[in-house]
Amino acid sequence: MPVIDKDSNFVTIQGARPVKKFSLGKGIIATSFAQASDERIVLIGTNKGLFEYDKRTGQSINHFKDEENKVTITDIKSINSGLLIWFSTLEKGIGKFSAITNSTQFFKYPKKH
């Protein structure tokens, strides 16, 4: 069963496989998860963008540039072995991240008031 502790760390307290505690940074809140086709990589949607966590090395990276960190990712779908990642956001609609070009594209939708 996963939980978030007071320092925004994702912690699994029960599971079939060994787990470790890791942090993406202070104030970063995980909002969605997806397994990449490579089982060592976990994609994590947060209130600060799209992160990739490598379970083998314990390293994480944020795929968004600083100006794009103001998006909250609500869902993630990895396609073509993680080369293309589709996601939904609260602020900018649907987006796609290309691991080949390291670029992000957003497809805005009209907001209803």
Side-chain angles (χ1 to χ4, degrees):
M1 171 172 37
V3 296
I4 304 291
D5 70 9
K6 66 180 179 62
D7 296 322
S8 299
N9 295 310
F10 177 75
V11 181
T12 300
I13 56 175
Q14 186 177 21
R17 294 183 178 177
V19 295
K20 340 181 222 189
K21 179 178 177 178
F22 65 91
S23 175
L24 297 174
K26 189 169 177 83
I28 297 175
I29 300 167
T31 55
S32 57
F33 299 90
Q35 180 73 52
S37 62
D38 178 351
E39 292 216 5
R40 70 183 174 93
I41 301 295
V42 177
L43 301 169
I44 306 169
T46 73
N47 62 324
K48 302 286 185 186
L50 176 66
F51 283 78
E52 183 178 299
Y53 176 75
D54 187 324
K55 294 187 286 187
R56 232 183 270 157
T57 66
Q59 304 248 339
S60 64
I61 57 170
N62 188 341
H63 284 298
F64 289 0
K65 298 177 185 88
D66 289 343
E67 64 270 11
E68 294 172 337
N69 281 343
K70 294 181 173 48
V71 296
T72 304
I73 295 182
T74 58
D75 198 15
I76 307 168
K77 177 68 176 168
S78 175
I79 300 173
N80 295 336
S81 302
L83 296 177
L84 190 60
I85 301 165
W86 285 91
F87 54 90
S88 60
T89 73
L90 292 177
E91 300 84 0
K92 294 187 176 186
I94 301 295
K96 99 177 151 174
F97 172 78
S98 170
I100 296 170
T101 62
N102 200 32
S103 63
T104 305
Q105 183 178 8
F106 290 97
F107 305 91
K108 295 183 179 183
Y109 52 86
K111 292 185 179 181
K112 295 183 180 183
H113 298 281

